[in-house]
Amino acid sequence: MIKKMMHGNEACAYGAIIAGCRFFAGYPITPSSEIAEELAVLLPQVEGKFIQMEDEIASMAAILGASLNGIKSLTATSGPGFSLKQENIGYACQTEIPCVIVNVQRGGPSTGSPTMPSQEDFMQSRWGTHGDHFIVVLSPSSVQETFDLTVKSFNISEKYRTPVILLMDEIVGHMTEKMILPEPGEIEIIDRKKPSVKPEDFRPYENTEDGVPPMAAFGSGYRHHVTGLMHDETGFPTNNSEIIQKQKDRWKKKFDLARDTVVFTELTDAEDMEYLVFSYGSSARCTRKAVKIARENGLKVGSMKALTLWPFPGKELEKVSRGLKGIVVAEMNMGQAIREVERAVGKNVKVLGANRYDGESMHPDDILSVIEKF
Amino acid sequence: MIKKMMHGNEACAYGAIIAGCRFFAGYPITPSSEIAEELAVLLPQVEGKFIQMEDEIASMAAILGASLNGIKSLTATSGPGFSLKQENIGYACQTEIPCVIVNVQRGGPSTGSPTMPSQEDFMQSRWGTHGDHFIVVLSPSSVQETFDLTVKSFNISEKYRTPVILLMDEIVGHMTEKMILPEPGEIEIIDRKKPSVKPEDFRPYENTEDGVPPMAAFGSGYRHHVTGLMHDETGFPTNNSEIIQKQKDRWKKKFDLARDTVVFTELTDAEDMEYLVFSYGSSARCTRKAVKIARENGLKVGSMKALTLWPFPGKELEKVSRGLKGIVVAEMNMGQAIREVERAVGKNVKVLGANRYDGESMHPDDILSVIEKF
Amino acid sequence: MQKKRFMITVDERLCKGCENCINQCPKKVLELSAKLKAYPARQEDCIGCLRCEYICPDFAITVTEIKGDSNEN
Amino acid sequence: MQKKRFMITVDERLCKGCENCINQCPKKVLELSAKLKAYPARQEDCIGCLRCEYICPDFAITVTEIKGDSNEN
Amino acid sequence: MSFRYEIRLSGAGGQGLILIGKILAEAAAIFADLNATQSQSYGPESRGGASRSEVIISDEDIDYPKAGNVDFLLAMTQEAFDKYGEMTKNGGIVVYDMEMVHTPRQLEGVRVFPAQITELAIKEFSKPIVANMVALGIVINLSNILGIETVKEAIKSRVPKGTEEINLKAFDLGYEKGKELQGL
Amino acid sequence: MSFRYEIRLSGAGGQGLILIGKILAEAAAIFADLNATQSQSYGPESRGGASRSEVIISDEDIDYPKAGNVDFLLAMTQEAFDKYGEMTKNGGIVVYDMEMVHTPRQLEGVRVFPAQITELAIKEFSKPIVANMVALGIVINLSNILGIETVKEAIKSRVPKGTEEINLKAFDLGYEKGKELQGL
Amino acid sequence: MKTEIVLSYLRKDKLPHIWCPGCGHGIILGSMMRAVHKTGWKKDDIALVSGIGCSSRTPGYVDFNTLHTTHGRSLAFAAGIKFSNPRLNVISVMGDGDAVAIGGNHFIHAARRNLNITALVFNNYIYGMTGGQFSPTTPYKAIASTTPYGNIDKNFDIPSLAIGAGAGFVARSTAIHVPGLDDIIYQALNYDGFSVVEIISFCHVQYGKRNKLKTPLSMIDWLKSIALPIAAYEKLGEEQRRDKIPIGIFKNIPTEEYSQKYIKEIIDPNKSKDSILKDYCKAKLYDL
Amino acid sequence: MKTEIVLSYLRKDKLPHIWCPGCGHGIILGSMMRAVHKTGWKKDDIALVSGIGCSSRTPGYVDFNTLHTTHGRSLAFAAGIKFSNPRLNVISVMGDGDAVAIGGNHFIHAARRNLNITALVFNNYIYGMTGGQFSPTTPYKAIASTTPYGNIDKNFDIPSLAIGAGAGFVARSTAIHVPGLDDIIYQALNYDGFSVVEIISFCHVQYGKRNKLKTPLSMIDWLKSIALPIAAYEKLGEEQRRDKIPIGIFKNIPTEEYSQKYIKEIIDPNKSKDSILKDYCKAKLYDL
Ligand SMILES: Cc1ncc(C[n+]2csc(CCOP(=O)(O)OP(=O)(O)O)c2C)c(N)n1
Ligand SMILES: Cc1ncc(C[n+]2csc(CCOP(=O)(O)OP(=O)(O)O)c2C)c(N)n1
Ligand code: SF4
Ligand code: SF4
Ligand code: SF4
Ligand code: SF4
Ligand code: SF4
Ligand code: SF4
Ligand SMILES: [Mg+2]
Ligand SMILES: [Mg+2]
């Protein structure tokens, strides 16, 4: 066990290397650049490759190329770059190529407030690319969680052949605090499933029981075709509507089956709660503080922190929402996760937003003042 | 009045020209290319400019540049290009530059099914770019509506200084039917508000009563600065959190005030309905047919067609949903608008999706079979 | 010198009848059949230059030297 | 020939004390003040070459010819 | 009672089936004051591959613009015949190009007409490209849904300038051919 | 009872305030086994402009990592003093650099110490860059929140190789200066 | 005889391909396969990457590790493949739109960076796949679906662009100069660094039909009339050069390849650096 | 005396600018303003467009119609401005990252298309704004925050790239070769078509500090030691050229400007075409 002070962006770089990431392609952008900078130092030390590409589109493309070689790959960016990556993120969804994309959010839209914290990309992280697709989005609230969730991001991405987005906020990215690195053996590392059949029988988009087809690396003898067009089980393009439907239904099945293993939440002070504060990322820390103060003031407040943003933990939330007097959704934007909360709990529980979108970090008072409104 | 047979993409081109569009920049992509092709013919005839750029990013940038000159501008694309435009769409939101972006949807994600119909970009059209932002999205279900909504798109975009997205589907884009061109004087054309103050008093992001600041063209004597950074009323960058909040609150005010004038829906067979089918775009035509058949079979079914997708007509829907036995959301995707319907009506009304996502056009039976499930 | 002889086969599943081979053959060996496929109308004139193979976009045509005893001078 | 004379003014709100002017002045006219701003320590040596103006990234320094009757030879 | 007539024109890209679909629709909607829609399916991206053009003609607003209950099928390739033959409604009509469809199946409850379409175009005009007009003539004759003059107006407004004559001639030829088929 | 101590280090980009923030946090969290967070605000994009580094030290988990109730303010520019002086909590401490802050205001309920920081760094080491270490010495002395050896460990682990000595010396000097200030 | 070789590299069950009858792209594909054959590379060791377009449908027919990516991004995907596993031989196939319209930035950066990738640009002067819009190589005054009044855009000269960006191997040939094309592709494949071959293809369907070159034959004849070897071209006067295209190898100089440089200058000196990560990374996590 | 001229074009209330003390970008801004002054253009008739980066902060300080866009997209926005209103004089300011990393495609297409835009590339060999990552112009072996072990990327030669893409006016100077720079910018502004001036700037803060050039003075001295006029450069042997940069005008030939060509060849012959739209468009809907 090693204790180390680092900021969230560093922790992400460490988590990646330990998860087995050996390829990074990126383009600098505040407030994410330290992830690239750290990996430029670390990757060669473990015989990995670091490349700075000409832009974010190329970076996204490059990590997909590397992942097709069987190499775990990462890119990191912020809003403007994240928007540019969307087309190729969709390609990763369509072709089911594992990869991890970090978005350290800034205030937006556009160039916005590059050095100021925000959680404004909650919806985009799920819906940013065109076309029906599924994706997993995790969001850490501390340096330690950044490390842990980076490793988990790679594991999920490998296990389910899906891009995973690690949605960080500037506060977590740039905050320095203690991180504990578990012993090497203690960290679960998952690698993608490889084909066990003969090359000629290999179907790269086979409808397996768990919906996750095995994946062969380029150069491993399993020559196959990968395309962004809708394709059949063998990976070749199709216009056949039955096959198209089958492929999409398999995606749904895969994510339905995976759902419970990729949705992480933390519930605190829930036993007697009358109010619940729902939050994620750095807002969740602020929430913890607010809950403490509220309880000191005699209010029965509990909290739910979402570590997984998508699939949205609506089920978990719905379960604990029954009978509550109110739910506060604390987030640094004009109201995004609150939409999902409303959907999940229906009109039976009153839901209010505690929103901060002025470029400052959320303050416990922002939450407390909303609780008072119920 | 002129009657003409045309397909939706042509109607869009005609609508644009009549709305006053004099600049088009684009990059070809199926199934939207005919809009560009038609405008390449028509624009020079009315002394407008057509330019084919090197990619979609540049196209989006170019129309914003032209709009800053006071010229109504259009671009048209499909999914992959729409994803690429997202960064600069965010720029248009941040800087409040009027412009119209047409997305003739294809099946997705990624290259997907380029020639097959879909409505899979419903969510992306609202949330595709990073950062808090507002946007208006319209969607036509016929050639006539394409013409009408193209004109409306320009009007809304000019009136409210906002990008407007015209979200078409391949069926409407490529279907030929009769269109009626009203007499020149009969069509309402709105132009952006110009400053009336002296140049030195001009504040391009002034907090006016309606939240819409006047806009001066480059070269008109009102020299000013435009930036994608968060900025103050004068348009210059700021890190001041109070000012940032004020700007964003003005955006909200602007769209709140505009809401009812930009949300268009059509309700039919509603008087006695027990079931409602909600749909948009070409699915709405299929819905009309399904409703007829259902009524012939003795089922009391009504329909709501949304011509405006965003702001979502949740209020309108909620109002008519009370007491219904069920709502069907008919759309050619795996379930997108249904999320908004659920949010709008809460858990009191049962909501089911009639979804088609196999590249074929929706069929009335797809809807009828869902109605049967209630 | 012994004149080489060639056999020309057209895979009809692949041939799209584009006439590239027909047009580029220096000896006018090939023609289009009623089924709109290329076929060797004058195989005996073939000099084995392979232009038809090189210019066929569909890998439908193959020219093989006929080895054997038919020694015509 | 009559020697030209120059007046050098530094706008202290603009000067960032980068020393570009100081370093590029061929006559060592300029120095850094205690307030970390450039100032003309030896204005009389100035030959009006304008290098300081050209190299100042902050438009803080201005050199003006002093016209008048002080004719020193 | 209202009527709805569905025509499916199917074959390969480049056979000009989309054009005759548009002509049919225009004839109905502009020159005959009915309602009509024309829509199509494409192959990969915008070019090549199978082609399907559908025309719906009705005296009411057309809700659903896709063919569901096909009254009339024109099949210009074997693939088209195989794929869409069965989908034609009871009492409907199928016309296929003998040049292209070599193994037609029996279709129950449907009147099936083999016709020399491409052959005629080549023979009479040395232009296989006008086969679509020949086919259009046959469609108009057999379907009896639109007046011949209406269609001729629409042809004139849709075909490239300078080609009106040959196209109209091909259409007429098809129309005559239609009579002949009826007479069988 | 648990404790939470908030230190705000404010001034301009390039003054090394983020570094001493990290040193403070590392001293507390790694070498003194407390909990600590360090965070900061930037100017436009990643460079230049005002700089603010905040350190929270606590014996409990630190929920909220931003300073709300500042116990100790170091102000290295006039702007920083003006902006953050008032936000210091009752009973808190403010130290400012006399070289940079020319018009300090009165702050009620707060002990305000003017100190020669940059001046000392220049005078003693001819290196204005070590002013941050001088300041750190003063902070440690006046705040009394961390042991001097703990902080020295952290300095050694954070400053560039080869510069340990001068940095430690500057720190010591600041520490002594702190004593002097206390003695006022 | 050659056809057999070509077919042995193709996925025969995917044929006939989607290209229109007579299309130049198919001719180039044959040439590519013969060139690959000459290298002796194993199919397993080749990755063929493309963007989107008619030309970019090539990978689907070839029995290698094949990748059909997004429009314009072929070289960026290829960079990830080559850099992460230098053992693979990487070929990138692109159309003119793919390579130098939307993909122009990746093109010039690939030329600058110098990973060992062979870029084959199938230039048919048009966007074929999307129905005949003009591209940055469409000739002056030509009609395309988006230049109804004739094209006024200046063209890229692809070899000049590649050279300006720093490419070490730059050549041009045409679809009809087979088997000479085979050799040029072969040399490009063998070049240790980034190599570009612009191959003038033809699209009678989208380009030709609008420009009085309706048939493959007329396009072939046209190409014959305009293409000539560099040396011959250089002998022409400026006026005579106007409508001619020089073909041959424009540049072929040795350069240092990027992934090798990275290994030599970045990985090798640093891989033994002491790091707390070492313990976590004892076992190589992947095996190339 | 010159300062006064410069200030007369600036938004004085926005000064001092955000650039670090001594930064080369400010020097270039002065030069630009003197060049603009010489053209006699009215402030109202000038549009200054930039991307994102330190250099791209320029428009904020200049009293024209100013536009600070997205990273790399300056020339694409500028194209929309120039093409839709050719009456405006359009200048585009970009950093090296802006112009030839993320913006490379717009750069080469602007060069090809030939709209009358003057592109000024402030090349400081680094990404200044984001904290010192390497760019496509960072010298070999230089340290940047993303090349901790030294840079191995080959560079773009910006003039070669522009020429390869077809630009008609291509020049290079440096921030310290004032007032010579004024004249080169002036010539570029006056050129009727797309013109590029690469201006070597310097960033002692992000580039210098990592590469033993900590102060503006040391960077200025370094620039003095490497830059020399094209003619002098050409006299050097290959070996001697290694660390030198030629400055001056590389190419200046007359070309046909795009928006004028469009009006002449596309609009003028077609604007009177009969169209049902005519009735709807009788009144010009905008007035330029
Ligand atoms: C981002 C994006 N933009 C546009 C398209 C549409 N598109 C597909 S292929 C193509 C161009 C094809 O031209 P080219 O690259 O020259 O290849 P060709 O078909 O001529 O061989 C275009 C514009 C797309 N698929 N993706
Ligand atoms: C799409 C996008 N990617 C990345 C960034 C981050 N970014 C801002 S400026 C910049 C580079 C600045 O370098 P350069 O263009 O050379 O200008 P300089 O600051 O050196 O003058 C980068 C990468 C961004 N704002 N947007
Ligand atoms: S090999 Fe030559 S001569 Fe023989 S058929 Fe082919 S092209 Fe003609
Ligand atoms: S070139 Fe090939 S495809 Fe074309 S006709 Fe000849 S054999 Fe058939
Ligand atoms: S004008 Fe020349 S001599 Fe005078 S101060 Fe400036 S640089 Fe020195
Ligand atoms: S160059 Fe300008 S900013 Fe720098 S010290 Fe001189 S006057 Fe001041
Ligand atoms: S459209 Fe053109 S490029 Fe595409 S396959 Fe057909 S002929 Fe070839
Ligand atoms: S970081 Fe570099 S380029 Fe940016 S302002 Fe400072 S010195 Fe200039
Ligand atoms: Mg092409
Ligand atoms: Mg730079």
Side-chain angles (χ1 to χ4, degrees), chain A residues 49 54 88 91 182 225-227, chain G residues 44 66 68 70 83 113 280:
Chain A
K49 306 278 172 73
E54 52 273 24
N88 281 338
Y91 186 85
H225 185 57
V226 179
T227 175
Chain G
D44 278 339
T66 56
H68 178 229
T70 43
F83 188 49
R113 195 178 284 120
Y280 294 86

Side-chain angles (χ1 to χ4, degrees), chain A residues 120 130 228 248-249 344 347 357, chain B residues 83 120 248-249 344 347 357:
Chain A
E120 297 176 21
H130 62 282
K248 290 179 138 188
D249 285 342
K347 305 217 160 186
Y357 45 88
Chain B
S83 289
E120 297 177 20
K248 290 178 138 188
D249 284 342
K347 306 218 160 188
Y357 45 87

Side-chain angles (χ1 to χ4, degrees), chain F residues 140-168:
Chain F
I140 292 302
N141 185 295
L142 294 189
S143 69
N144 210 7
I145 184 102
L146 290 168
I148 180 163
E149 287 312 319
T150 334
V151 178
K152 285 187 169 182
E153 282 305 308
I155 291 175
K156 280 187 253 169
S157 98
R158 281 272 165 185
V159 300
K161 292 269 163 287
T163 68
E164 293 90 344
E165 206 184 307
I166 183 168
N167 279 302
L168 288 172

Side-chain angles (χ1 to χ4, degrees), chain H residues 24-101:
Chain H
H25 292 354
I27 309 174
I28 301 172
L29 172 54
S31 186
M32 272 174 70
M33 293 305 103
R34 293 187 299 268
V36 165
H37 180 66
K38 200 167 159 196
T39 62
W41 294 342
K42 276 172 53 195
K43 293 177 186 178
D44 278 338
D45 296 341
I46 307 173
L48 181 64
V49 188
S50 73
I52 295 286
C54 291
S55 25
S56 281
R57 284 301 190 100
T58 302
Y61 304 109
V62 178
D63 190 18
F64 304 151
N65 304 285
T66 57
L67 183 59
H68 178 230
T69 71
T70 44
H71 188 41
R73 315 305 171 191
S74 179
L75 285 168
F77 279 82
I81 293 175
K82 182 70 196 178
F83 188 50
S84 67
N85 184 358
R87 213 175 47 70
L88 291 171
N89 300 298
V90 182
I91 308 170
S92 166
V93 164
M94 299 165 283
D96 41 331
D98 232 12
V100 296

Side-chain angles (χ1 to χ4, degrees), chain H residues 185-233:
Chain H
I185 297 178
Y186 172 72
Q187 291 197 49
L189 293 174
N190 258 346
Y191 180 78
D192 189 17
F194 184 70
S195 53
V196 183
V197 187
E198 176 188 7
I199 308 166
I200 313 289
S201 184
F202 57 86
C203 171
H204 54 294
V205 173
Q206 297 295 358
Y207 180 77
K209 81 165 176 213
R210 293 182 172 89
N211 294 286
K212 303 193 180 132
L213 297 162
K214 263 186 204 163
T215 61
L217 175 59
S218 60
M219 295 225 62
I220 289 173
D221 287 345
W222 175 65
L223 273 183
K224 280 185 184 164
S225 75
I226 60 169
L228 78 184
I230 297 174
Y233 177 84

Side-chain angles (χ1 to χ4, degrees), chain E residues 47, chain G residues 18-20 23-25 54 124 128-129 202-206:
Chain E
R47 40 148 301 280
Chain G
I18 65 156
W19 293 319
C20 306
C23 172
H25 293 353
C54 291
N124 56 5
M129 180 62 95
F202 58 85
C203 171
H204 55 293
V205 173
Q206 298 295 358

